[in-house]
Every structure is written in C-alpha cells, then in structure tokens.
C-alpha cells in the first residue's frame, strides 16, 4: 500500500489544507515551465529581447499588488501550516522541485522526482544542496509517518556516487531510532539500483512561534 502524503496525514492528524486558489497554482505551474525553459536555453539560440520585455510586464503588473510579507506569512500559518507554500513540492512555491511523497506500509516514505537543469551542481548532476534540501524535508515526512515530529537539530550526508539530472530518482526515508524528544531518521537517494546519497538526521521535539499568531506555537510540520 502506498498513500499520497501531504493532502491528509495519518498517523499524525494535521488540519485540512486550505482551499487551493486554482489561478495561483496555475501561475506557479507556468513559472516552473518558464524556469525549466530558461534554464535550458543556450546563449544566442533564441531571440530573448521580446520575451524578457513580456516577463517584465507581468512582474510590473504583479509587484504593486503583493501584500506585506507579514500578511502572507500569517495566511500561510492559518489552518494547514505552510504545506502548500513549502519549498519542496509546495504547489504555491515557484522554486519547489516537483516532488511527490508517498507513505509505505513498512513505515518508510518514498518520493519520486526527476530534476531538471535548474538544479544542476556538477556537470549533468544534481547540486548536493538540492539533494540535502529534499532529504531534510522528506525526513520530516518520515517522522510524521512514523508518528514523530521535530525540528532538524543535526544531519549528516554522504554523497556516494553522482546523482544524475534528468533521470527519475527514488528518495526513501524512515525513522531509525527514537529516544525521548529525539528522533534519528535515515534517508537515501537512488538512481535505478545505484545508491547516490545516504543521510542521517537528528530531530528534536520543539516548537516555534507562529507568525501573526502570538498566542500559538507550531511543532514544525504539525500544520498547527
Ligand atoms: C512545514 C509544515 C508542514 C505541515 C504539514 C505536516 C505534514 C508534513 C510533515 C512534514 C513535512 C515538514 C517537514 C519540515 C522539515 C523542515 C525541517 C527544518 O528545516 S527545521 C529548521 C532547521 N532547524 C532549526 O532551525 C533548529 C534550530 N535549533 C533549535 O531551535 C534548537 O537547537 C533545538 C530546538 C533543535 C534544540 O534545542 P533545545 O534547547 O530544545 O534542546 P537542547 O537542550 O539543546 O538539546 C536537547 C538534547 O539534544 C541534543 N542536541 C541538541 N542539538 C544537537 C545537535 N545539533 N547535535 C546533536 N545533539 C544535539 C542535546 O545534546 C541534548 O541531548 P541530551 O538530552 O543532553 O542527551
């Protein structure tokens, strides 16, 4: 059995996601297409003057309408936390790589993603910081799937072999050990059968103040 994570979240219940704004999701999807297209352009192969003007026009239209960041932050932490806006897979976040997470019967969480040129580090390979970003976030999912939560206190990562761009990658994470407030969580990235990355993180139960809600604290990942 595999369960798509993020929309609902057993075994730790989280509030429902806010109703999506279809036009916001669509804008982000279009921005992602642009991001991949622009990252893939070779110099001088396409005449970009007109495109740059049109992008500037869209940005000029948008910028004056953007509310203060404090207002956006407050909205993000109302109801379902920042799940829709987070930088890994968040449908409202243009920089988010398009990762989908699944919870498995064996207690692990898997994710599948193919990363494009915008995420390049070494030639033809995924930037190590991008791998780390996805792993950190995914460990948070694995903790929840295992009935735990917490903030990342420490994590270590071993890059065992190059992680290819433009090929399906399988991420996997699971809770390895628990002790009081501490949760140790492991994760791997594979390209086919080849191990590319392995990591281990320490998460500590903790809470942080919720922006715009002085009376509330969030346990990070609880969607409080
Ligand atoms: C997003 C919302 C989604 C909602 C939807 C839910 C479903 C989805 C689920 C999930 C997806 C989301 C997943 C998110 C993932 C993102 C994760 C992050 O990016 S977290 C940001 C980065 N991390 C920080 O900013 C922490 C900063 N650090 C701190 O605030 C503190 O250091 C803290 C709270 C971690 C610990 O501080 P203390 O004061 O509570 O604890 P002390 O007393 O220092 O330590 C307690 C024990 O832990 C050990 N310890 C502490 N830090 C350690 C370290 N770095 N290394 C090793 N041991 C450490 C200590 O030695 C001590 O151990 P002894 O009890 O004595 O055995």
């Amino acid at each position: 059995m595999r369960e798509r994570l993020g929309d609902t979240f057993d075994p730790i219940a989280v509030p429902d996601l806010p109703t999506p704004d279809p036009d916001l999701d669509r804008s982000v999807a279009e921005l992602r297409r642009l991001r991949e297209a622009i990252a893939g352009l070779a110099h001088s192969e396409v005449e970009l003057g007109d495109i740059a003007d049109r992008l500037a026009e869209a940005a000029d239209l948008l910028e004056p309408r953007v509310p203060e960041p404090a207002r956006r932050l407050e909205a993000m932490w109302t109801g379902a936390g920042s799940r829709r806006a987070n930088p890994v897979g968040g449908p409202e976040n243009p920089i988010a790589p398009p990762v989908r997470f699944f919870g498995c019967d064996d207690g692990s969480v898997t994710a599948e993603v193919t990363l494009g040129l915008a995420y390049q580090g070494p030639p033809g390979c995924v930037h190590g910081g991008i791998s780390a970003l996805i792993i950190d976030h995914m460990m948070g999912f694995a903790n929840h799937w295992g009935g735990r939560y917490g903030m990342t206190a420490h994590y270590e990562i071993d890059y065992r072999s190059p992680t290819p761009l433009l090929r399906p990658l399988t991420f996997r994470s699971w809770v390895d050990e628990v002790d009081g407030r501490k949760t140790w969580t492991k994760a791997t990235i594979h390209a086919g059968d080849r191990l590319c990355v392995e990591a281990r993180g320490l998460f500590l139960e903790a809470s942080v103040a919720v922006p715009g809600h002085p009376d509330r604290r969030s346990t990070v990942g609880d969607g409080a």
Side-chain angles (χ1 to χ4, degrees):
M1 189 278 289
R2 296 202 325 164
E3 181 177 330
R4 173 80 194 272
L5 301 181
D7 300 336
T8 61
F9 210 105
D10 292 333
I12 292 186
V14 294
D16 288 340
L17 283 168
T19 313
D21 172 348
D23 287 333
L24 178 53
D25 285 15
R26 202 160 61 86
S27 301
V28 170
E30 295 304 334
L31 269 169
R32 288 176 177 166
R33 285 179 63 200
L34 272 173
R35 180 190 70 203
E36 286 308 306
I38 286 179
L41 284 174
H43 287 194
S44 312
E45 275 186 3
V46 181
E47 176 46 61
L48 279 176
D50 182 45
I51 303 278
D53 287 346
R54 289 162 72 173
L55 291 175
E57 208 178 302
D60 288 346
L61 203 64
L62 207 54
E63 263 173 2
R65 303 180 189 183
V66 175
E68 285 298 302
R71 271 185 54 204
R72 175 65 173 135
L73 268 175
E74 186 177 339
M76 271 179 197
W77 289 101
T78 300
S82 64
R83 268 182 292 159
R84 290 190 56 79
N86 76 56
V88 183
E92 293 180 8
N93 189 325
I95 75 154
V99 192
R100 291 154 52 90
F101 297 96
F102 300 91
C104 304
D105 273 346
D106 65 1
S108 69
V109 163
T110 63
E112 290 157 13
V113 65
T114 299
L115 294 166
L117 298 176
Y119 301 108
Q120 183 170 230
C125 299
V126 177
H127 193 292
I130 297 293
S131 299
L133 167 71
I134 299 173
I135 282 179
D136 185 21
H137 193 77
M138 186 179 181
M139 285 176 167
F141 268 114
N143 292 342
H144 276 250
W145 192 237
R148 306 284 296 179
Y149 65 90
M151 291 181 88
T152 319
H154 171 87
Y155 81 121
E156 51 201 44
I157 189 157
D158 293 302
Y159 296 96
R160 296 294 184 195
S161 69
T163 307
L165 285 179
L166 306 170
R167 273 189 53 191
L169 299 172
T170 303
F171 287 67
R172 190 168 160 262
S173 183
W174 63 96
V175 171
D176 184 44
E177 213 181 312
V178 298
D179 180 15
R181 290 173 60 207
K182 298 178 186 174
T183 303
W184 285 269
T185 307
K186 286 186 170 175
T188 53
I189 306 176
H190 283 82
D193 292 336
R194 179 164 57 81
L195 175 67
C196 302
V197 179
E198 55 188 343
R200 187 170 192 255
L202 167 63
F203 295 78
L204 277 169
E205 285 178 13
S207 66
V208 284
V210 175
H213 302 271
D215 51 328
R216 277 174 43 201
R217 296 183 68 80
S218 166
T219 51
V220 182
D222 61 354

